[in-house]
Amino acid sequence: MTRRDYSGQNLSRRLMRNLLVANVVISLLALAIGIAGIYVDEKVFWISMLAVLFVSISNIVVCWRRLKRPQD
């Protein structure tokens, strides 16, 4: 039986680049929706968008580091 690697270490550079773009889009949308939540005065809404923004920014950093390391 083969072991599957779900850590993302073996993703292709193309797939990693697509994941980076998707995370950038998600973070921009979370920022815009969070700002709209502040204006509407929905505290739970903008706090949850802040959490989504934090997670997507951490994913951007991980994707960026994996793309910048030298290829094997």
Side-chain angles (χ1 to χ4, degrees):
M1 179 184 271
T2 60
R3 287 187 59 134
R4 294 184 186 249
D5 181 25
Y6 295 107
S7 66
Q9 294 287 338
N10 296 327
L11 292 177
S12 68
R13 294 185 67 78
R14 180 179 175 203
L15 192 58
M16 191 64 68
R17 199 170 28 246
N18 290 342
L19 189 60
L20 178 68
V21 170
N23 279 310
V24 167
V25 169
I26 289 170
S27 65
L28 291 175
L29 286 174
L31 183 65
I33 293 171
I35 290 172
I38 290 172
Y39 284 125
V40 176
D41 200 28
E42 282 288 328
K43 188 176 278 188
V44 174
F45 191 68
W46 67 264
I47 290 174
S48 62
M49 285 298 111
L50 186 65
V52 170
L53 183 65
F54 175 73
V55 170
S56 64
I57 287 175
S58 66
N59 285 335
I60 288 170
V61 170
V62 169
C63 289
W64 184 260
R65 285 184 181 168
R66 287 187 184 167
L67 280 173
K68 289 301 174 185
R69 72 178 175 200
Q71 290 183 357
D72 298 337

